[in-house]
Amino acid sequence: MTSRKGTSCCSQSQKMLTASCWSTLSTVVTTTGDLGTKCPRYSPRGFDIGNHFCEWVYDYTHEEWPFYKAQPADYPTRAQQLHFIRHYLAEVKKGETISQEEQRKLEDDLLVEVNRYALASHFFWGLWSILQASMSTIEFGYLEYAQSRFQFYFQQKGQLTSFHPPS
């Protein structure tokens, strides 16, 4: 089946998906070959912080194939996450007085939110990497990276229950 312009539906769908991805994500490659991202779109705070924690695992300065190194042990511990969250909440709640009980609830709720969104981050970058494997001219192990992100997705999904606050 083809569209009016003679391109296949699959090709047209791929173009639409690609255009959608690029409208929300632009890739920046510096002159040293480092790969970074700039996301000029709105992201929920949980996604941004969860993505930040996920990035603790990856070293993109590795100079051999696949040009990154994953160190799962570098994912922040619960204590490290709470340290970050406490500083984040202190800035957000600046000037407000809240009880220790309210503070703990805010911390616990944000910890769960962030770790749920960390799963979304792994899934998002895994899908993005699969697309890049077929489109990018940058030498990078996109399929290996996708596999790594999906592996961490399933690993963290199994551990997510440990981040639920006690009832």
Side-chain angles (χ1 to χ4, degrees), residues 57-87:
V57 171
Y58 292 95
D59 174 7
Y60 301 105
T61 63
H62 190 68
E63 295 185 12
E64 296 175 5
W65 186 263
F67 302 107
Y68 74 91
K69 198 171 208 172
Q71 298 291 337
D74 289 347
Y75 191 83
T77 64
R78 182 181 175 101
Q80 290 170 318
Q81 291 177 46
L82 279 171
H83 177 80
F84 183 94
I85 286 170
R86 285 181 181 129
H87 285 275

Side-chain angles (χ1 to χ4, degrees), residues 47-114:
F47 184 90
D48 285 341
I49 298 170
N51 185 66
H52 170 71
F53 291 159
C54 290
E55 290 300 325
W56 283 37
V57 171
Y58 292 95
D59 174 7
Y60 301 105
T61 63
H62 190 68
E63 295 185 12
E64 296 175 5
W65 186 263
F67 302 107
Y68 74 91
K69 198 171 208 172
Q71 298 291 337
D74 289 347
Y75 191 83
T77 64
R78 182 181 175 101
Q80 290 170 318
Q81 291 177 46
L82 279 171
H83 177 80
F84 183 94
I85 286 170
R86 285 181 181 129
H87 285 275
Y88 171 81
L89 289 172
E91 192 62 33
V92 169
K93 298 291 183 184
K94 193 177 266 183
E96 291 182 40
T97 304
I98 58 174
S99 70
Q100 283 186 332
E101 184 179 324
E102 289 173 298
Q103 177 69 22
R104 182 182 163 112
K105 179 162 178 22
L106 287 171
E107 291 169 5
D108 288 342
D109 289 350
L110 187 52
L111 188 62
V112 170
E113 177 185 335
V114 162

Side-chain angles (χ1 to χ4, degrees), residues 1-142:
M1 183 175 190
T2 59
S3 69
R4 283 186 227 142
K5 293 184 179 182
T7 59
S8 71
C9 289
C10 292
S11 177
Q12 188 66 21
S13 295
Q14 185 178 17
K15 287 178 184 178
M16 290 172 60
L17 179 60
T18 301
S20 175
C21 287
W22 282 114
S23 71
T24 59
L25 174 71
S26 66
T27 303
V28 177
V29 180
T30 65
T31 55
T32 60
D34 296 333
L35 179 65
T37 57
K38 179 172 74 174
C39 301
R41 72 195 176 341
Y42 169 78
S43 295
R45 70 177 181 177
F47 184 90
D48 285 341
I49 298 170
N51 185 66
H52 170 71
F53 291 159
C54 290
E55 290 300 325
W56 283 37
V57 171
Y58 292 95
D59 174 7
Y60 301 105
T61 63
H62 190 68
E63 295 185 12
E64 296 175 5
W65 186 263
F67 302 107
Y68 74 91
K69 198 171 208 172
Q71 298 291 337
D74 289 347
Y75 191 83
T77 64
R78 182 181 175 101
Q80 290 170 318
Q81 291 177 46
L82 279 171
H83 177 80
F84 183 94
I85 286 170
R86 285 181 181 129
H87 285 275
Y88 171 81
L89 289 172
E91 192 62 33
V92 169
K93 298 291 183 184
K94 193 177 266 183
E96 291 182 40
T97 304
I98 58 174
S99 70
Q100 283 186 332
E101 184 179 324
E102 289 173 298
Q103 177 69 22
R104 182 182 163 112
K105 179 162 178 22
L106 287 171
E107 291 169 5
D108 288 342
D109 289 350
L110 187 52
L111 188 62
V112 170
E113 177 185 335
V114 162
N115 281 280
R116 286 181 178 160
Y117 271 110
L119 296 177
S121 170
H122 284 309
F123 206 81
F124 175 84
W125 290 114
L127 292 174
W128 173 86
S129 196
I130 290 169
L131 288 172
Q132 291 307 303
S134 67
M135 299 181 335
S136 180
T137 59
I138 299 169
E139 189 175 17
F140 184 80
Y142 289 108

